[in-house]
Amino acid sequence: MRHRAPIPWILPSTAIGDNVTINSSVEIHNSILMNDVQVGCNSFISNSIIGANNNIGPQFSTEEGRDLMIELKGSLHHVDIIGTILGDNNSIANRVLIKAGKMIAINCKVEAGAR
């Protein structure tokens, strides 16, 4: 009997751009992935926006928060539920957890194991 790798789970309310690679055992829920994104295996993305040209390593996770206040351009805004927002052209190493409501700008490099 041939063993097959677990497939990715793309759940409702998810939009995926062009030229996106999603590896095995990835769950994506209620999120937007822009063009040219690579998501490593065993990752979890929920209620998040992933900008274009992001390279995300294995075991990446977005934490989900409810009833939070986030700061945008100096003003506080209430959100019912949010994961994270990644700008364009980032490199995220393996085993990274992004806390709920956090935003990563553009052209950033996040080292392995970072929280």
Side-chain angles (χ1 to χ4, degrees):
M1 185 166 109
R2 195 172 145 186
H3 177 72
R4 293 172 49 181
I7 60 173
W9 289 67
I10 311 300
L11 298 170
S13 302
T14 296
I16 298 175
D18 295 330
N19 198 33
V20 173
T21 302
I22 300 171
N23 286 288
S24 63
S25 298
V26 172
E27 182 176 328
I28 303 174
H29 164 262
N30 196 33
S31 296
I32 299 170
L33 278 67
M34 301 296 188
N35 296 338
D36 303 308
V37 172
Q38 293 183 11
V39 181
C41 62
N42 299 312
S43 294
F44 175 78
I45 299 171
S46 181
N47 294 295
S48 297
I49 300 171
I50 308 298
N53 198 36
N54 276 288
N55 187 357
I56 298 171
Q59 299 176 343
F60 170 79
S61 293
T62 60
E63 188 177 67
E64 192 175 275
R66 296 178 186 275
D67 198 29
L68 297 176
M69 299 297 289
I70 61 170
E71 184 179 344
L72 293 171
K73 296 184 178 182
S75 297
L76 286 177
H77 300 270
H78 175 264
V79 291
D80 292 326
I81 187 167
I82 192 168
T84 192
I85 299 172
L86 284 180
D88 298 338
N89 303 310
N90 292 301
S91 177
I92 311 295
N94 61 323
R95 293 178 287 112
V96 170
L97 167 67
I98 309 273
K99 295 288 194 174
K102 298 298 179 186
M103 297 174 205
I104 295 179
I106 59 171
N107 299 314
C108 294
K109 183 176 181 181
V110 179
E111 299 294 328
R115 294 179 69 121

